[in-house]
Amino acid sequence: MLSRVAPWLASHKEGAAPEGLVVRSLSGADTPALRRLAEQDPVANVFMLAHLKAVGSAAPTTGGATVFGVFDDGVLLGACWAGANLVPVELDPEFAGVVAEAASASGRRFASAFGPADAVLALHTELAALGHAAHEVRDEQPLMTICGPPEVTPNSHLELGRLADFERILPACAAMFEEEVGYSPFLGGKEFYSRRVEGLIRQGHSLAHVNDSGEVVFKAELGAVTAEVTQIQGVWMNPEYRGQGLSAGYMAAVVEKARALAPVTSLYVNGFNLRARSTYERVGFSQVGTFATVLF
């Protein structure tokens, strides 16, 4: 039987836990095992697979982010990214307690946890017991995909974001972030978020319609990209243009751009956002799972 007791806990030290179960930070040598684990669900785990594609290793990053792995007799059973956010990877809710202990002991502060709902909500329960209070729990976020061309005509005005438009795109990204999470991404300083937006533009993962007046009418990003899957994030329509029936055409254009990079386009949406869900379904997206997000 697999133990739920981490190696550093008192009960383990007293010999209560059976041999074999280990919870630890992954190293470069664990990269193949982590990749195999994540590939069990390329859509749900696109964040981790995109990270491995970008850096090529499961080892801790220079910024201090790490991946905790749960092993039994040397076999990686589940994992969890622990950086600015917590992102479970094929993590059975049974192991949420040991991962929460590891994350809490790391001393990092996490802005959120997101991913498959069962794992995220289990992590939330365990973290709450350790004193990590959440200010919002979004427990039903349909995970949706489209595997072919969009079912509506794409808006031809959507283009790849340009560095020349950075000073216009950045405020639009910040406005989207503040609408979504309730506070400014510049709260702790502007530099980190600005670098993130600039990086997406340089990678060709920023999509925007900047009109002749210099206004960003619509924007979105491909926040995670692998050879199999892209994940759309940061969808935002300028308030001046809302309610005009433009969203479906812009989303169809996002799908068209994303399909140039990978055959499957994915996103997740708040369950209460019925208008957005209806738009995505009209474009051709269908639900394949359920995510949850916990904001700390």
Coordinates of all heavy atoms in Angstrom, one line a residue, residues 157-177 185-186 190 193-202 204-211 214-222 233-236 238:
H157 N -8.4 40.6 -39.3 CA -7.6 41.7 -38.7 C -6.7 41.2 -37.6 O -5.7 41.9 -37.3 CB -8.6 42.8 -38.1 CG -9.4 43.5 -39.1 ND1 -8.8 44.4 -40.0 CD2 -10.7 43.6 -39.3 CE1 -9.7 44.9 -40.8 NE2 -10.9 44.5 -40.3
L158 N -6.9 40.0 -37.1 CA -6.0 39.5 -36.1 C -4.6 39.1 -36.7 O -4.6 38.4 -37.7 CB -6.6 38.2 -35.4 CG -5.9 37.8 -34.2 CD1 -6.2 38.7 -33.0 CD2 -6.2 36.4 -33.8
E159 N -3.6 39.6 -36.1 CA -2.2 39.4 -36.5 C -1.4 39.0 -35.3 O -1.7 39.1 -34.2 CB -1.7 40.6 -37.2 CG -2.4 41.1 -38.4 CD -1.8 42.4 -39.0 OE1 -1.1 43.1 -38.2 OE2 -2.1 42.6 -40.2
L160 N -0.2 38.5 -35.6 CA 0.8 38.3 -34.6 C 1.2 39.6 -34.0 O 1.3 40.6 -34.7 CB 2.1 37.6 -35.2 CG 1.9 36.2 -35.7 CD1 3.3 35.7 -36.3 CD2 1.4 35.2 -34.7
G161 N 1.3 39.6 -32.6 CA 1.7 40.8 -32.0 C 3.1 41.3 -32.4 O 4.0 40.5 -32.6
R162 N 3.2 42.6 -32.5 CA 4.5 43.2 -33.0 C 5.2 43.9 -31.8 O 4.5 44.6 -31.0 CB 4.3 44.1 -34.1 CG 3.6 43.5 -35.3 CD 3.5 44.5 -36.5 NE 2.9 45.7 -36.0 CZ 3.0 46.9 -36.6 NH1 3.7 47.0 -37.7 NH2 2.3 48.0 -36.2
L163 N 6.5 43.9 -31.8 CA 7.2 44.6 -30.8 C 7.0 46.1 -30.9 O 7.0 46.9 -29.9 CB 8.7 44.3 -30.9 CG 9.2 43.0 -30.3 CD1 10.7 42.7 -30.6 CD2 8.9 42.9 -28.8
A164 N 6.7 46.6 -32.1 CA 6.4 48.0 -32.3 C 5.1 48.4 -31.6 O 4.9 49.6 -31.3 CB 6.3 48.3 -33.8
D165 N 4.3 47.4 -31.3 CA 3.0 47.7 -30.6 C 3.1 47.3 -29.1 O 2.0 47.3 -28.5 CB 1.9 46.9 -31.3 CG 1.5 47.5 -32.7 OD1 1.6 48.7 -32.8 OD2 1.2 46.7 -33.5
F166 N 4.3 47.0 -28.6 CA 4.4 46.5 -27.3 C 3.7 47.5 -26.2 O 3.0 47.0 -25.3 CB 5.9 46.4 -26.9 CG 6.1 46.0 -25.5 CD1 5.9 44.8 -25.0 CD2 6.6 47.0 -24.6 CE1 6.1 44.5 -23.6 CE2 6.8 46.7 -23.2 CZ 6.6 45.4 -22.8
E167 N 3.9 48.8 -26.4 CA 3.4 49.7 -25.4 C 1.9 49.8 -25.5 O 1.2 50.3 -24.6 CB 4.0 51.1 -25.7 CG 5.5 51.2 -25.4 CD 5.8 50.9 -23.9 OE1 5.0 51.1 -23.1 OE2 7.0 50.5 -23.7
R168 N 1.3 49.3 -26.6 CA -0.2 49.2 -26.6 C -0.7 47.8 -26.1 O -1.7 47.8 -25.5 CB -0.6 49.4 -28.1 CG -0.3 50.8 -28.7 CD -0.8 50.9 -30.1 NE -0.6 52.2 -30.6 CZ 0.5 52.6 -31.3 NH1 1.5 51.7 -31.5 NH2 0.6 53.8 -31.7
I169 N 0.1 46.8 -26.5 CA -0.4 45.4 -26.1 C -0.2 45.2 -24.6 O -1.1 44.6 -23.9 CB 0.5 44.4 -26.8 CG1 0.1 44.5 -28.3 CG2 0.2 43.0 -26.3 CD1 0.9 43.6 -29.2
L170 N 0.9 45.8 -24.0 CA 1.1 45.6 -22.5 C -0.1 46.1 -21.7 O -0.5 45.3 -20.8 CB 2.4 46.2 -22.1 CG 2.8 46.1 -20.6 CD1 2.9 44.7 -20.2 CD2 4.0 46.9 -20.3
P171 N -0.6 47.3 -21.9 CA -1.7 47.7 -21.0 C -3.0 46.8 -21.3 O -3.8 46.6 -20.3 CB -2.0 49.1 -21.5 CG -0.7 49.6 -22.1 CD -0.1 48.4 -22.7
A172 N -3.2 46.3 -22.5 CA -4.3 45.4 -22.7 C -4.1 44.1 -21.9 O -5.1 43.6 -21.4 CB -4.4 45.1 -24.2
C173 N -2.9 43.6 -21.9 CA -2.6 42.4 -21.1 C -2.9 42.6 -19.6 O -3.4 41.8 -18.9 CB -1.2 41.9 -21.4 SG -0.9 41.3 -23.0
A174 N -2.4 43.8 -19.2 CA -2.6 44.1 -17.7 C -4.1 44.3 -17.4 O -4.5 43.8 -16.3 CB -1.8 45.4 -17.4
A175 N -4.8 44.9 -18.3 CA -6.3 45.0 -18.1 C -7.0 43.7 -18.0 O -7.8 43.4 -17.1 CB -6.9 45.9 -19.2
M176 N -6.6 42.7 -18.9 CA -7.2 41.4 -18.9 C -6.8 40.7 -17.5 O -7.7 40.1 -16.9 CB -6.6 40.6 -20.0 CG -7.1 39.1 -20.1 SD -6.3 38.0 -18.9 CE -4.5 38.2 -19.3
F177 N -5.6 40.8 -17.1 CA -5.1 40.2 -15.9 C -5.9 40.7 -14.7 O -6.4 39.9 -13.8 CB -3.7 40.4 -15.7 CG -3.0 39.7 -14.5 CD1 -2.3 38.5 -14.7 CD2 -3.2 40.2 -13.2 CE1 -1.8 37.9 -13.6 CE2 -2.6 39.5 -12.1 CZ -1.9 38.4 -12.3
P185 N -1.2 43.1 -12.4 CA 0.0 42.3 -12.5 C 1.3 43.2 -12.2 O 2.4 42.6 -12.0 CB 0.0 41.8 -13.9 CG -0.7 42.9 -14.7 CD -1.8 43.4 -13.7
F186 N 1.1 44.5 -12.1 CA 2.3 45.4 -11.8 C 2.4 45.6 -10.3 O 3.3 46.4 -9.9 CB 2.1 46.7 -12.5 CG 1.9 46.7 -14.0 CD1 1.2 47.6 -14.6 CD2 2.6 45.7 -14.7 CE1 1.0 47.5 -16.0 CE2 2.5 45.6 -16.1 CZ 1.7 46.5 -16.7
K190 N 6.7 46.2 -12.3 CA 6.3 46.1 -13.7 C 7.2 45.2 -14.5 O 6.8 44.7 -15.5 CB 6.2 47.5 -14.3 CG 5.6 47.6 -15.7 CD 5.4 49.1 -16.1 CE 4.7 49.2 -17.4 NZ 4.6 50.6 -17.9
Y193 N 6.4 41.2 -15.4 CA 5.2 41.0 -16.3 C 5.5 41.5 -17.6 O 5.1 40.9 -18.7 CB 4.0 41.6 -15.7 CG 2.7 41.3 -16.4 CD1 2.1 40.0 -16.3 CD2 2.1 42.2 -17.2 CE1 0.9 39.7 -16.9 CE2 0.9 41.9 -17.9 CZ 0.3 40.6 -17.8 OH -0.8 40.3 -18.4
S194 N 6.2 42.6 -17.7 CA 6.6 43.2 -19.0 C 7.4 42.3 -19.8 O 7.3 42.1 -21.0 CB 7.3 44.6 -18.8 OG 6.4 45.5 -18.2
R195 N 8.4 41.6 -19.1 CA 9.3 40.7 -19.8 C 8.5 39.5 -20.3 O 8.7 39.0 -21.4 CB 10.4 40.2 -18.9 CG 11.5 41.2 -18.6 CD 12.7 40.5 -18.2 NE 12.5 39.5 -17.1 CZ 12.6 39.9 -15.8 NH1 12.9 41.1 -15.4 NH2 12.4 38.9 -14.8
R196 N 7.5 39.1 -19.6 CA 6.6 37.9 -20.0 C 5.9 38.3 -21.3 O 5.9 37.5 -22.2 CB 5.6 37.6 -18.9 CG 4.5 36.7 -19.2 CD 4.9 35.3 -19.6 NE 3.8 34.4 -19.8 CZ 3.9 33.2 -20.4 NH1 5.0 32.8 -20.9 NH2 2.8 32.5 -20.6
V197 N 5.3 39.5 -21.3 CA 4.5 39.9 -22.5 C 5.5 40.1 -23.7 O 5.2 39.6 -24.8 CB 3.8 41.2 -22.2 CG1 3.1 41.8 -23.5 CG2 2.7 41.0 -21.1
E198 N 6.6 40.7 -23.5 CA 7.6 40.9 -24.5 C 8.1 39.5 -25.1 O 8.2 39.3 -26.3 CB 8.8 41.7 -24.1 CG 9.8 41.9 -25.1 CD 11.0 42.7 -24.6 OE1 11.0 43.2 -23.5 OE2 12.0 42.8 -25.4
G199 N 8.3 38.6 -24.2 CA 8.7 37.2 -24.6 C 7.7 36.6 -25.5 O 8.0 35.9 -26.5
L200 N 6.4 36.7 -25.1 CA 5.4 36.1 -26.0 C 5.3 36.7 -27.4 O 5.1 36.0 -28.4 CB 4.0 36.2 -25.3 CG 3.8 35.4 -24.0 CD1 2.6 35.9 -23.2 CD2 3.6 33.9 -24.4
I201 N 5.5 38.0 -27.4 CA 5.6 38.7 -28.7 C 6.8 38.1 -29.5 O 6.6 37.8 -30.7 CB 5.7 40.2 -28.6 CG1 4.4 40.7 -27.9 CG2 5.9 40.9 -29.9 CD1 4.5 42.2 -27.6
R202 N 7.9 38.1 -28.9 CA 9.1 37.6 -29.6 C 9.0 36.1 -30.1 O 9.5 35.8 -31.2 CB 10.4 37.7 -28.7 CG 10.8 39.2 -28.5 CD 12.1 39.2 -27.7 NE 12.5 40.6 -27.4 CZ 13.1 41.4 -28.3 NH1 13.4 41.0 -29.5 NH2 13.4 42.6 -27.9
G204 N 6.3 34.8 -31.1 CA 5.2 34.7 -32.1 C 3.9 34.1 -31.4 O 3.1 33.5 -32.1
H205 N 3.8 34.2 -30.1 CA 2.7 33.6 -29.4 C 1.7 34.7 -28.9 O 0.8 34.4 -28.1 CB 3.2 32.8 -28.2 CG 4.0 31.6 -28.6 ND1 4.8 30.8 -27.7 CD2 4.2 31.0 -29.8 CE1 5.4 29.9 -28.3 NE2 5.1 30.0 -29.6
S206 N 1.9 35.9 -29.3 CA 1.0 37.0 -29.0 C 0.2 37.3 -30.2 O 0.7 37.4 -31.3 CB 1.8 38.3 -28.5 OG 0.9 39.4 -28.5
L207 N -1.1 37.4 -30.0 CA -2.0 37.7 -31.1 C -2.9 38.9 -30.8 O -3.4 39.0 -29.7 CB -3.0 36.5 -31.4 CG -2.2 35.2 -31.6 CD1 -3.2 34.0 -31.5 CD2 -1.5 35.2 -32.9
A208 N -3.0 39.9 -31.7 CA -3.7 41.1 -31.4 C -4.2 41.8 -32.7 O -3.7 41.6 -33.8 CB -2.8 42.1 -30.7
H209 N -5.3 42.5 -32.5 CA -5.8 43.4 -33.6 C -5.6 44.8 -33.0 O -6.3 45.2 -32.1 CB -7.2 43.2 -33.9 CG -7.8 44.2 -34.8 ND1 -9.2 44.5 -34.9 CD2 -7.2 45.1 -35.7 CE1 -9.4 45.4 -35.8 NE2 -8.2 45.8 -36.2
V210 N -4.6 45.5 -33.6 CA -4.4 46.9 -33.2 C -4.9 47.7 -34.4 O -4.4 47.6 -35.5 CB -2.9 47.2 -33.0 CG1 -2.7 48.7 -32.6 CG2 -2.3 46.3 -31.9
N211 N -6.0 48.5 -34.2 CA -6.6 49.2 -35.3 C -5.8 50.5 -35.7 O -4.8 50.8 -35.1 CB -8.1 49.6 -35.0 CG -8.2 50.6 -33.8 OD1 -7.3 51.3 -33.5 ND2 -9.4 50.7 -33.3
G214 N -4.6 52.9 -33.2 CA -3.7 52.5 -32.2 C -4.3 51.8 -31.0 O -3.7 51.5 -30.0
E215 N -5.6 51.5 -31.1 CA -6.3 50.8 -30.0 C -6.2 49.3 -30.2 O -6.3 48.8 -31.3 CB -7.8 51.1 -30.0 CG -8.2 52.5 -29.8 CD -9.7 52.7 -30.0 OE1 -10.2 52.4 -31.0 OE2 -10.3 53.0 -29.0
V216 N -6.0 48.5 -29.1 CA -6.0 47.1 -29.1 C -7.5 46.7 -29.0 O -8.1 46.9 -28.0 CB -5.2 46.4 -28.0 CG1 -5.4 44.9 -28.0 CG2 -3.8 46.8 -28.1
V217 N -8.1 46.2 -30.1 CA -9.5 45.8 -30.1 C -9.7 44.4 -29.4 O -10.6 44.2 -28.7 CB -10.0 45.8 -31.6 CG1 -11.5 45.4 -31.6 CG2 -9.8 47.1 -32.2
F218 N -8.8 43.5 -29.7 CA -8.8 42.2 -29.2 C -7.4 41.6 -29.1 O -6.5 42.0 -29.9 CB -9.6 41.3 -30.2 CG -9.6 39.8 -29.8 CD1 -10.6 39.3 -29.0 CD2 -8.6 38.9 -30.2 CE1 -10.7 37.9 -28.6 CE2 -8.6 37.6 -29.9 CZ -9.6 37.1 -29.1
K219 N -7.2 40.8 -28.1 CA -5.9 40.2 -28.0 C -6.0 38.8 -27.3 O -7.0 38.6 -26.5 CB -4.9 41.1 -27.3 CG -5.1 41.3 -25.8 CD -4.3 40.3 -25.0 CE -4.7 40.3 -23.5 NZ -4.1 39.2 -22.8
A220 N -5.1 37.9 -27.5 CA -5.0 36.7 -26.8 C -3.5 36.2 -26.9 O -2.8 36.7 -27.7 CB -5.9 35.6 -27.4
E221 N -3.2 35.2 -26.1 CA -1.9 34.6 -26.2 C -1.9 33.1 -26.3 O -2.9 32.5 -25.9 CB -1.0 35.0 -25.0 CG -0.6 36.4 -24.9 CD -1.6 37.3 -24.3 OE1 -2.2 36.9 -23.3 OE2 -1.9 38.4 -24.9
L222 N -0.9 32.5 -26.9 CA -0.7 31.1 -26.8 C 0.2 30.9 -25.7 O 1.4 30.9 -25.8 CB -0.2 30.5 -28.2 CG -1.1 30.9 -29.4 CD1 -0.4 30.3 -30.7 CD2 -2.5 30.3 -29.2
Q233 N -4.6 31.5 -23.9 CA -4.7 32.2 -22.6 C -4.9 33.7 -22.9 O -4.7 34.2 -23.9 CB -3.5 32.0 -21.7 CG -3.3 30.6 -21.3 CD -2.0 30.4 -20.5 OE1 -1.2 31.3 -20.3 NE2 -1.7 29.1 -20.1
G234 N -5.4 34.4 -21.8 CA -5.4 35.9 -21.9 C -6.3 36.5 -22.9 O -6.1 37.6 -23.5
V235 N -7.5 35.8 -23.2 CA -8.4 36.4 -24.2 C -9.1 37.6 -23.6 O -9.6 37.7 -22.5 CB -9.5 35.3 -24.5 CG1 -10.6 35.9 -25.4 CG2 -8.9 34.0 -25.1
W236 N -9.0 38.7 -24.4 CA -9.5 40.0 -23.9 C -10.1 40.8 -25.1 O -9.4 40.9 -26.1 CB -8.4 40.8 -23.3 CG -8.8 42.1 -22.7 CD1 -9.4 42.4 -21.5 CD2 -8.6 43.4 -23.3 NE1 -9.5 43.7 -21.3 CE2 -9.1 44.4 -22.4 CE3 -8.0 43.8 -24.5 CZ2 -9.0 45.8 -22.7 CZ3 -8.0 45.2 -24.8 CH2 -8.5 46.1 -23.9
N238 N -11.5 44.6 -26.0 CA -11.6 46.0 -25.5 C -13.0 46.3 -25.2 O -13.9 46.0 -26.0 CB -11.1 46.9 -26.7 CG -11.0 48.4 -26.2 OD1 -11.9 48.9 -25.5 ND2 -10.0 49.0 -26.7

